[in-house]
Amino acid sequence: MKIAMIGHKRIPSREGGVERVVEELTTRMVKRGHDITCYNRGGKHVLDKNQEVKSLKEYNGVKLKKVLTIDKKGVAAMTSSFFGSFKILFSKNEVVHFHAEGVCAVIPIIKAFSKKKVVVTIHGLDWQRAKWGGFATKYIKFGEKMAAKYADEIIVLSENVQCYFKKQYNRDTHFIPNGVSRPEIVKVDIIKKKYQLKKDSYFLFLGRIVPEKGIHYLVDAYQQIEIDKKLVIAGAASDTDSYYQELKDKVKENENIIFTGFVQGKELEELYSNAYVYVLPSDLEGMPLSLLEAMSYGNCCLTSDIPECATVIGDKGVTFKKSKVEDLVKQLHELSDDKVKKYKQESQSYILKRYSWDEVVDKTLKLY
């Protein structure tokens, strides 16, 4: 089949979970003989403005087309999806796969002027995210409505969102969660030189530094406990510089809290491989790829009890009551070395068995 992907920022990239999903899907689909074109946004790297964005025409067999983008908060996704949809209209693609809600506002253009089939993946209810407001929130909600009304098929990543679409729009959706691959566990090297970190010497949060990730709960809880472990907060702001600065100001007297900024490659692998506990204190998630990755590295994971996290970890991790700092403090206190060791022994095999990218590709192609 000839398939178009739109709605991600760009591949290859670790600018967010959507980008990693698109990369995993498309590279596997190409190996199965399908013709895939990804419509990449223009503009700078969202999480690291100093990082060079390479303009590639192909990546592992996936065709890449750069789309005109107004690179400003709140309009980048809107403009890239608008201009990208016109490129897709005049392409030979048979299936157009939209990722995320806001970009779905242009689906009526595709449906009105072509016979192309439209599939949408809802990665989360994006209009709920704290960084948006006013027009952006309304536009994203409009995109959600267009997806519910005009898409031929809709994929959701959690049963919670599946129930929402049924209740809100009486729309049936397909629950196809994300996958994960077996990683290579690596020893400390870069993180020892840069941050003086040793194996099992730190709690780790790794993700975008945005309010809905609940990092402020983790910082407050950590500062209430006495422990010989450091706290590493790895990731960069995503149109949320003021929130990032608030966090830094809050902990400026605490030398045991380390902000790494955006990480990738070997440094990211080392952080996952050597953490004592991975913590994800989110108020809102779609399906957190960082949690799947953390468990694939054999980590003990502590998350908020929102369904999108609790369903992933099952009984192979620990949860605390969403947004309750006192309960997070309690759970951190109760994480003995023996308990952490037990979860570390169980988490990798459990997550690799439950979430397979090849299975995700099978189900997605069947839907096409």
Side-chain angles (χ1 to χ4, degrees):
M1 290 176 282
K2 293 183 183 297
I3 302 156
M5 297 268 179
I6 189 169
H8 59 287
K9 296 176 187 74
R10 70 202 108 239
I11 68 163
S13 168
R14 283 194 68 96
E15 290 172 82
V18 175
E19 288 67 47
R20 277 134 62 202
V21 170
V22 171
E23 182 177 333
E24 294 287 355
L25 290 177
T26 55
T27 52
R28 283 172 166 79
M29 287 177 180
V30 163
K31 287 179 180 177
R32 299 189 188 194
H34 299 287
D35 186 331
I36 314 289
T37 305
C38 284
Y39 290 80
N40 284 352
R41 278 193 212 173
K44 294 181 178 179
H45 194 285
V46 172
L47 300 179
D48 185 0
K49 304 298 183 187
N50 296 318
Q51 184 167 317
E52 182 186 355
V53 175
K54 296 179 181 178
S55 188
L56 304 175
K57 291 188 176 181
E58 188 176 293
Y59 173 70
N60 287 353
V62 180
K63 297 172 185 174
L64 305 177
K65 290 190 181 295
K66 188 176 178 180
V67 174
L68 180 62
T69 305
I70 298 175
D71 196 16
K72 291 185 178 181
K73 178 183 175 181
V75 296
M78 180 173 63
T79 54
S80 62
S81 61
F82 181 78
F83 292 115
S85 68
F86 281 98
K87 279 194 173 186
I88 290 170
L89 264 182
F90 297 101
S91 73
K92 294 181 180 180
N93 293 297
E94 303 159 284
V95 177
V96 187
H97 194 151
F98 285 81
H99 290 268
E101 293 188 316
V103 296
C104 294
V106 300
I107 289 177
I109 297 173
I110 301 292
K111 298 304 291 181
F113 298 103
S114 77
K115 294 181 179 180
K116 302 177 193 302
K117 298 297 183 181
V118 171
V119 175
V120 171
T121 294
I122 303 295
H123 291 261
L125 302 179
D126 292 339
W127 53 269
Q128 294 180 348
R129 299 190 188 281
K131 70 177 183 179
W132 304 123
F135 174 75
T137 299
K138 291 176 182 177
Y139 185 81
I140 292 169
K141 193 71 183 285
F142 175 72
E144 178 183 285
K145 291 177 181 177
M146 294 302 97
K149 187 173 182 178
Y150 293 110
D152 293 290
E153 301 291 355
I154 297 177
I155 297 168
V156 295
L157 304 183
S158 73
E159 292 176 348
N160 200 34
V161 174
Q162 189 170 42
C163 291
Y164 168 81
F165 266 80
K166 186 65 178 175
K167 183 178 179 181
Q168 189 74 14
Y169 303 106
N170 194 30
R171 177 68 199 247
D172 291 326
T173 57
H174 302 267
F175 172 47
I176 306 178
N178 291 327
V180 71
S181 304
R182 181 183 295 274
E184 179 187 355
I185 311 298
V186 295
K187 295 181 179 180
V188 294
D189 178 24
I190 297 171
I191 63 172
K192 184 177 182 181
K193 294 170 183 173
K194 286 181 75 171
Y195 314 113
Q196 292 74 56
L197 294 173
K198 300 176 182 177
K199 184 169 179 61
D200 292 333
S201 69
Y202 57 95
F203 294 100
L204 173 67
F205 166 86
L206 196 154
R208 290 175 300 116
I209 311 299
V210 292
E212 62 266 18
K213 294 288 186 184
I215 308 158
H216 45 290
Y217 307 135
L218 176 56
V219 165
D220 290 345
Y222 177 80
Q223 297 205 98
Q224 292 181 39
I225 62 173
E226 291 185 12
I227 194 165
D228 62 351
K229 312 289 183 188
K230 294 182 178 181
L231 172 60
V232 176
I233 298 172
S238 176
D239 294 321
T240 50
D241 291 338
S242 60
Y243 176 67
Y244 198 174
Q245 192 56 51
E246 284 174 23
L247 291 174
K248 284 187 169 182
D249 290 343
K250 184 181 282 192
V251 304
K252 59 186 177 184
E253 304 298 328
N254 194 330
E255 295 180 353
N256 289 323
I257 299 180
I258 299 167
F259 287 85
T260 68
F262 177 69
V263 292
Q264 60 184 343
K266 186 83 178 339
E267 184 174 338
L268 177 124
E269 293 168 10
E270 287 184 23
L271 286 169
Y272 270 140
S273 295
N274 299 286
Y276 180 65
V277 173
Y278 176 80
V279 189
L280 186 63
S282 301
D283 285 332
L284 176 69
E285 286 287 352
M287 185 185 187
L289 266 178
S290 60
L291 178 56
L292 294 178
E293 289 179 345
M295 293 186 77
S296 76
Y297 276 87
N299 276 297
C300 168
C301 294
L302 169 59
T303 76
S304 62
D305 62 356
I306 61 174
E308 290 79 4
C309 290
T311 303
V312 170
I313 64 173
D315 61 354
K316 306 303 179 186
V318 183
T319 64
F320 72 97
K321 294 174 185 175
K322 181 188 89 168
S323 76
K324 302 297 182 184
V325 174
E326 61 272 21
D327 194 47
L328 179 51
V329 170
K330 178 187 173 190
Q331 297 304 332
L332 287 168
H333 269 305
E334 293 180 358
L335 273 175
S336 64
D337 286 346
D338 288 342
K339 188 181 284 189
V340 170
K341 185 178 179 181
K342 174 182 178 291
Y343 287 126
K344 280 178 175 287
Q345 289 172 340
E346 298 173 345
S347 62
Q348 185 185 59
S349 58
Y350 169 79
I351 209 72
L352 291 175
K353 188 176 180 180
R354 271 191 92 186
Y355 299 99
S356 158
W357 277 122
D358 286 329
E359 190 175 319
V360 173
V361 171
D362 288 340
K363 291 179 178 179
T364 306
L365 287 173
K366 187 177 179 181
L367 208 58
Y368 292 169

